[in-house]
Amino acid sequence: MFKEFKTFIARGNVLDLAVAVIIGAAFGRIVTSLTEDVIMPVIGKIFGGLDFSGYFLRMGPVPANYTGSLSDYAALKKAGVPLLGYGAFITQAANFVIVAFIIFLVVRSVNKLLPKPSAAAPAEPADVTLLREIRDELKARPRV
């Protein structure tokens, strides 16, 4: 069983997949930072200081011992208040769209850089080949 496992792990596909997962996770963190630290603040600035993370609906009571702001999503969530954080969802949806677009651009660029496989000449149908052989054979016969 260990030998089979070793053979499975040594396959190129498994190693390629492992590398892809690691690079994908790192790429995801970069794009998340790009979204949260660069793009979303610019969008917020364009729309007059709009901060999507602050949009939520309180779904339950605030504990009596809570002393923080009633408009602080993170503090309310930490205090255990049930919240519907649709602003965080909007941020994650925008993050997804941006990640998908960046991946599209990367794949498109790589496809343009890679050489295209040359198309093989289509093979002649068997009946055409047979007819040509018959023609050549008839031409080679002496005429009477």
Side-chain angles (χ1 to χ4, degrees):
M1 187 163 103
F2 180 72
K3 186 176 181 179
E4 287 178 84
F5 179 71
K6 185 179 171 185
T7 304
F8 172 76
I9 291 297
R11 285 188 195 163
N13 300 7
V14 174
L15 295 175
D16 290 345
L17 181 60
V19 169
V21 167
I22 292 167
I23 290 174
F27 183 73
R29 285 193 296 268
I30 290 170
V31 173
T32 299
S33 176
L34 173 70
T35 304
E36 293 175 359
D37 301 328
V38 177
I39 295 174
M40 293 309 277
V42 170
I43 291 173
K45 183 71 171 172
I46 291 171
F47 290 104
L50 184 65
D51 180 15
F52 292 110
S53 63
Y55 291 130
F56 62 92
L57 294 174
R58 219 175 29 204
M59 304 298 287
V62 177
N65 61 351
Y66 179 73
T67 58
S69 170
L70 293 177
S71 62
D72 187 357
Y73 177 75
L76 286 169
K77 190 171 183 177
K78 187 174 181 179
V81 178
L83 302 171
L84 179 68
Y86 63 91
F89 176 76
I90 291 170
T91 301
Q92 292 303 319
N95 189 12
F96 171 77
V97 170
I98 292 166
V99 169
F101 183 68
I102 290 172
I103 290 173
F104 165 74
L105 292 176
V106 168
V107 169
R108 187 173 146 204
S109 299
V110 168
N111 285 340
K112 285 184 178 183
L113 291 176
L114 293 177
K116 294 180 182 172
S118 60
E124 290 184 343
D127 55 347
V128 172
T129 304
L130 179 62
L131 288 174
R132 286 189 178 157
E133 288 175 6
I134 292 172
R135 179 196 67 198
D136 294 342
E137 189 176 310
L138 290 174
K139 284 184 178 178
R141 284 187 186 173
R143 294 190 179 179
V144 182

